[in-house]
Amino acid sequence: HVQLVESGGGSVQAGGSLRLSCVASGRIYKDCLGWFRQAPGKEREGVAAIVTSGEATFYADSVKGRFTISQDDDKNTVYLQMDSPSPEDTAMYYCAAARGPVSYSILMRAESYPYWGQGTQVTVS
């Protein structure tokens, strides 16, 4: 029983807000948690990541100042707060987990994460 389950996706108007959640369960490493997204016809890209031990966070330049990644004290839930989203943010959003330590230089690369959720769709109009 190892899984990551996302929730909170849906439709939102530009300038609104949305909060995505991801709950990790089972025997799974959660040293590094990340949010990725993939739009039709585009490659999967890193959105934000957090290092559990030091609570260091990282963001794609395109979302800095608008999105915020955080986690509960028990480290089993990670969130992505999306403020002032735009149509360009429309995509399927996935959460992922990896065993650390992961070099900061590759923390935002999908290849660094062996565990993935099924995704939650976010549509911004």
Side-chain angles (χ1 to χ4, degrees):
H1 182 62
V2 177
Q3 63 179 11
L4 294 165
V5 181
E6 303 97 334
S7 63
S11 298
V12 62
Q13 291 192 322
S17 64
L18 202 65
R19 189 195 194 196
L20 307 183
S21 300
C22 177
V23 179
S25 62
R27 184 173 292 181
I28 182 173
Y29 287 105
K30 302 180 288 291
D31 298 320
C32 302
L33 297 170
W35 283 99
F36 292 77
R37 67 185 181 187
Q38 186 166 24
K42 296 184 178 181
E43 296 183 348
R44 185 168 298 188
E45 64 175 345
V47 176
I50 184 168
V51 178
T52 302
S53 60
E55 296 187 346
T57 57
F58 305 84
Y59 299 92
D61 290 339
S62 61
V63 306
K64 285 183 178 179
R66 299 188 299 117
F67 292 5
T68 303
I69 187 171
S70 62
Q71 61 184 234
D72 281 346
D73 291 337
D74 62 12
K75 313 300 182 183
N76 291 322
T77 305
V78 61
Y79 306 95
L80 184 67
Q81 178 67 39
M82 304 170 64
D83 294 324
S84 300
S86 67
E88 289 70 36
D89 296 313
T90 295
M92 182 73 75
Y93 283 72
Y94 302 87
C95 65
R99 178 180 182 179
V102 176
S103 298
Y104 289 177
S105 62
I106 61 173
L107 197 59
M108 298 285 282
R109 295 176 59 181
E111 299 91 309
S112 299
Y113 297 82
Y115 302 103
W116 293 83
Q118 295 301 305
T120 184
Q121 179 68 38
V122 173
T123 302
V124 184
S125 60

